[in-house]
Every structure is written in C-alpha cells, then in structure tokens.
Amino acid sequence: MEQFFMESPKSPLQPPTFGDLITVLSIDGGGIRGIIPATILAFLESELQKLDGEQARLADYFDVISGTSTGGLVTAMLTTPNEQNRPLFAAKDIKDFYLDHCPQIFPQNASYLPFTSYLPFSSMFKSLAGPKYDGKYLHGLVKEKLGDVRLHQTLTNVVIPTFDIKKLQPIIFSSYDVKKNPSKDALLSDISIGTSAAPTYLPAHHFETKDISTGKIRTFDLIDGGVAANNPTLVAISEVTKEITRGSSDFLPIKPTDYARFLVISLGTGSPKTEEKYDALKSGRWGLLGWLTAEGSTPLIDVFMQSSSDMVDFHISTVFQALHSEDNYLRIQDDTLGSDESSVDIATKENLDSLVTVGEKLLKKPVSEVNFETGVFEPSSRNKYTNEQALIKIAEVLSKEKRVRDMRSPHGKKPVANSQIKSRNIFLST
C-alpha cells in the first residue's frame, strides 16, 4: 500500500548498486562512555572533510548507521536533518554534547527519596526504590534537539535496537523495515529515549505510533537495546542482508553472503581492565541485591551488556575471516578502562575528561583484534596500522566509493575522471 511519507533517505550517497561496497557504521551502547566513539567519529569526519570539503558529514558516506543505547542517540544525532536538510550534528559536536549535558542527565547527587541521601547505603536504597535517575532532563533534551523527525526522515538508513519489556522481545527500528511496516515510523526522540532506558538507571519508555493507512495504534514499552544487542553491528548487517534477499534494486547484483562487499566499522565504548571489576570470590557471595548494587555498580547489567558486545565481535570476526574478507571489518575497542571510566553514569568533570583522553589515546593505539581464547584485544598480527592510520585509509576508501557511485548513477553528481577512481581493494592490510 502506498505511503506518501515512505520516501528514500535524502543522503547524497547513491545506492550500493552503483558502487563496489556496502558501508556500515556501528556504535555500541555504554552511557557516558559514548564520549569514546564520539572522539573517534570526530576524527573520521575530519579526514573526510580534508578530502571532500568542510560540509562533508558521516551520513554522506554510510549506507547504514546503527547504534544501541548511547550509540542509538549518536546515530539519531548524526542522521537527523536540520532546516537545510543536512545533519543536525557534525561529529565534532557530539563530544561537547556529552560534556555539556551528562552531568545533568546523570546528576551525581541523584536521589528519589529525600531521606536516603543522608544514609550510608543511599545508593542501595535508590536502586531498590526505583531507577537511579528519573530521565526527565534526558527526555526533554532529546525531544528538544530531535523535534518531530521520524524514522523515515533520517538522512541515511539507520538501525536502532530496543527491547519491548511488555512483549519480552527485541524491537528493531530500521529504515529498511519501516518501508513495509509503517507502525514503526516512530519519532526519533522516542526511539532514542527507549533504546537508552538502561534498567535500574533510567525508566522504561512508553509511547504510541499510528499507522496512517489503517488508523491502527501501536504501543511500545521499551528498555535499553543493550539487553538484546549492545553491539548492534550484526543487527545492521542482518537488516542489509534481508533487504538484499528481498531483491531490493538498491543492492543489485550483490549476493547476501558476499562479505567482501561490506565495509564495516564497529566502535566500542570501552570495557574495564580484567582486574578492575568482579571475581568469583566476591560474586559467589552475592544474592539478588549484590548482583544489582555491588561494587557501586550494577554487575548484572555490566555482565550481559559486555557479553552481548563481545559475542557479536567474536561472530563477525570469525565470519569475515572465514570468507577471506577480514580487511573489510574494523573493530575499535579499548579494554583497559579504570573503574570510574568503565561506569555508565559517573558524570563528574574529571571522569568525562578522562574518557575524552581515552578516545584520543585509542586513536594512537595499534589496530587490534580480539583473542578468542582470552577475550583480550591484542595488536593485529597482519595489520600494522594504528587506529588513526586505519581510519585515514578508510576515509579515502569512503570518499572514492562515493565518487564511484556518483559517476555510475544517472542521478549522481558530475562524473569525475576515471583516473581518480579506484575499484574495491584491500585497504587495511599492509
């Protein structure tokens, strides 16, 4: 049934059918640790601007941007159009957004019961009484910034996982899916609030949508997408694969299993040093209360979100290696965070500044791969670049890919000389 609002995304990027690659950007969840990928994204966008001008934005180069929780909010910020139909936020603005607003989103003296702030176990009482934060500042801020923009209006395709606590099932808000399922055409603000509603930290989010073709109302009761896919890379690839399988003209003549055609950048939000968190001697004595409040954190949440991220990386790394396409997948992650740095909500100035430093140092670290035996990120044996150098190479590939599509597409911009175009290649190996 025809839907007048189901138009294609307005990105200057022509469909993959005119190019050599399918470009995917994925951003993990992690609360205030979103500062880390924000720092990485600012660097990548600055490199694209060196090649294609100051107006270049990440949404101009990626076929799909995916994010969970804090990564979902970043995804919305990068793809929401402003009045000039350009991205509302440049990547360089996102870090300052976190620095400016996280202290209000996660106030360090937050307490719902007035008397608990004076008790030694106030954090425990707050955890038992309700969410640690009421979310009012975050909700108002997100609604103000993202306005009335809906899922179908993003400047490139987005994939944002959430989890419906009422139905006990994941809900994926996808630009691809919304074309045939208009009941998911929710406000980006509602999607962002829902995917960020981490259990025990922020309240679940209820909202409704209306299918304009049928008048049917659909309700959503969402919590953090991290309970289903804290690392949304696999979800993003799956959404693209489904679109290819459906025979979308945007992907002809690409095969669903042709991973050599995918260029995937997956950004983590960091994880703690092995010795910085929990051990069996401590956790073996915990009951329900301990799993929710021990060590001044929420161990149960930390465990399932971290395991979700790592399992996705394990899977994708293995698949790309098996298909001899490992050079087309770059995972940037730091697993050396200190105790405060690895929290999702310690929004002191000192800790926020420390996370900026983590992101800056991560750029200088060597490209790393997860050791499947230990789970530790180790420098790649085949790739001698730093993350910064790898991103510079990727910026060159993204810029060339965009020009290839412009040259081949009848709707593209003025063709460039053939001498300026290079076909798909292995760009990360040295």
Side-chain angles (χ1 to χ4, degrees):
M1 184 176 296
E2 183 178 359
Q3 301 289 330
F4 73 90
F5 56 84
M6 290 301 166
E7 56 196 40
S8 299
K10 303 176 181 62
S11 169
L13 186 63
Q14 299 300 311
T17 189
F18 298 113
D20 295 316
L21 297 166
I22 302 169
T23 53
V24 178
L25 172 62
S26 176
I27 309 158
D28 284 14
I32 61 170
R33 301 198 313 268
I35 290 176
I36 297 174
T39 303
I40 306 297
L41 292 172
F43 177 81
L44 176 58
E45 191 169 88
S46 71
E47 290 301 312
L48 290 167
Q49 290 169 345
K50 291 177 183 177
L51 296 168
D52 296 332
E54 292 184 0
Q55 297 306 310
R57 297 289 185 268
L58 293 172
D60 302 335
Y61 297 88
F62 286 97
D63 294 305
V64 56
I65 301 178
S66 183
T68 296
S69 191
T70 194
L73 177 57
V74 171
T75 296
M77 294 166 70
L78 292 172
T79 60
T80 294
N82 61 17
E83 293 180 353
Q84 290 73 46
N85 210 37
R86 296 294 294 146
L88 183 64
F89 284 82
K92 66 180 177 61
D93 299 328
I94 295 176
K95 180 182 71 176
D96 289 338
F97 176 91
Y98 276 82
L99 294 175
D100 292 341
H101 297 290
C102 279
Q104 287 74 46
I105 296 172
F106 302 112
Q108 296 304 286
N109 60 348
S111 177
Y112 287 95
L113 301 178
F115 60 85
T116 63
S117 61
Y118 302 103
L119 296 176
F121 303 107
S122 61
S123 294
M124 179 181 71
F125 280 108
K126 285 183 286 184
S127 297
L128 294 174
K132 191 173 181 180
Y133 308 98
D134 63 15
K136 291 180 180 179
Y137 184 89
L138 174 63
H139 296 186
L141 178 67
V142 170
K143 290 177 180 179
E144 174 193 347
K145 297 296 183 182
L146 302 184
D148 296 328
V149 176
R150 292 188 176 272
L151 177 60
H152 81 275
Q153 295 173 304
T154 55
L155 293 171
T156 191
N157 297 297
V158 301
V159 175
I160 301 176
T162 65
F163 190 88
D164 194 306
I165 192 66
K166 189 173 184 178
K167 298 180 176 67
L168 287 180
Q169 68 176 23
I171 302 291
I172 309 300
F173 288 93
S174 163
S175 299
Y176 302 113
D177 186 43
V178 77
K179 296 174 185 177
K180 61 182 182 61
N181 193 350
S183 68
K184 287 188 177 179
D185 193 37
L187 293 170
L188 278 181
S189 59
D190 281 326
I191 297 171
S192 299
I193 293 168
T195 194
S196 301
T200 77
Y201 289 96
L202 291 163
H205 185 54
H206 172 87
F207 63 91
E208 298 178 346
T209 61
K210 183 177 182 179
D211 185 335
I212 64 170
S213 63
T214 65
K216 186 176 180 180
I217 301 296
R218 180 172 179 177
T219 63
F220 297 90
D221 295 271
L222 303 183
I223 60 172
D224 198 312
V227 305
N230 200 50
N231 176 346
T233 310
L234 187 58
V235 177
I237 292 175
S238 297
E239 284 295 300
V240 172
T241 301
K242 287 194 296 183
E243 196 72 1
I244 295 172
T245 304
R246 294 184 189 116
S248 168
S249 60
D250 284 351
F251 294 96
L252 295 175
I254 300 167
K255 297 179 180 179
T257 57
D258 189 1
Y259 273 49
R261 298 290 295 271
F262 283 81
L263 166 57
V264 180
I265 303 175
S266 176
L267 302 181
T269 58
S271 62
K273 300 176 185 176
T274 303
E275 67 273 15
E276 288 286 351
K277 275 294 181 179
Y278 319 112
D279 59 47
L281 290 177
K282 293 179 181 178
S283 62
R285 296 190 294 266
W286 294 341
L288 178 60
L289 188 62
W291 280 101
L292 292 176
T293 63
E295 304 290 321
S297 183
T298 311
L300 189 61
I301 306 296
D302 292 345
V303 167
F304 68 66
M305 288 193 174
Q306 192 60 50
S307 61
S308 169
S309 294
D310 288 347
M311 287 301 293
V312 169
D313 186 39
F314 290 162
H315 174 79
I316 295 178
S317 295
T318 302
V319 170
F320 271 85
Q321 289 174 24
L323 297 176
H324 307 290
S325 303
E326 57 266 34
D327 293 315
N328 289 33
Y329 172 63
L330 176 65
R331 172 72 169 169
I332 299 181
Q333 173 71 312
D334 192 311
D335 59 0
T336 64
L337 301 187
S339 180
D340 284 0
E341 292 168 342
S342 64
S343 77
V344 300
D345 69 329
I346 299 180
T348 62
K349 183 180 186 305
E350 293 76 16
N351 196 44
L352 294 174
D353 289 342
S354 180
L355 289 170
V356 173
T357 301
V358 169
E360 293 170 346
K361 289 182 176 179
L362 185 54
L363 285 167
K364 304 297 183 182
K365 290 184 178 181
V367 170
S368 298
E369 299 169 343
V370 67
N371 182 315
F372 295 127
E373 294 296 325
T374 66
V376 174
F377 271 79
E378 300 173 350
S380 171
S381 60
R382 60 179 177 75
N383 187 327
K384 303 305 180 184
Y385 288 131
T386 63
N387 289 318
E388 186 175 71
Q389 291 169 329
L391 289 170
I392 291 172
K393 289 287 185 181
I394 286 176
E396 294 171 355
V397 172
L398 291 170
S399 177
K400 291 170 185 175
E401 172 70 11
K402 188 173 185 301
R403 285 182 282 151
V404 165
R405 297 187 192 185
D406 286 341
M407 180 185 70
R408 295 175 179 170
S409 170
H411 307 293
K413 296 180 181 179
K414 183 178 179 180
V416 296
N418 288 339
S419 61
Q420 293 179 271
I421 301 296
K422 292 184 180 180
S423 61
R424 171 166 50 102
N425 58 4
I426 302 297
F427 48 85
L428 290 180
S429 58
T430 56

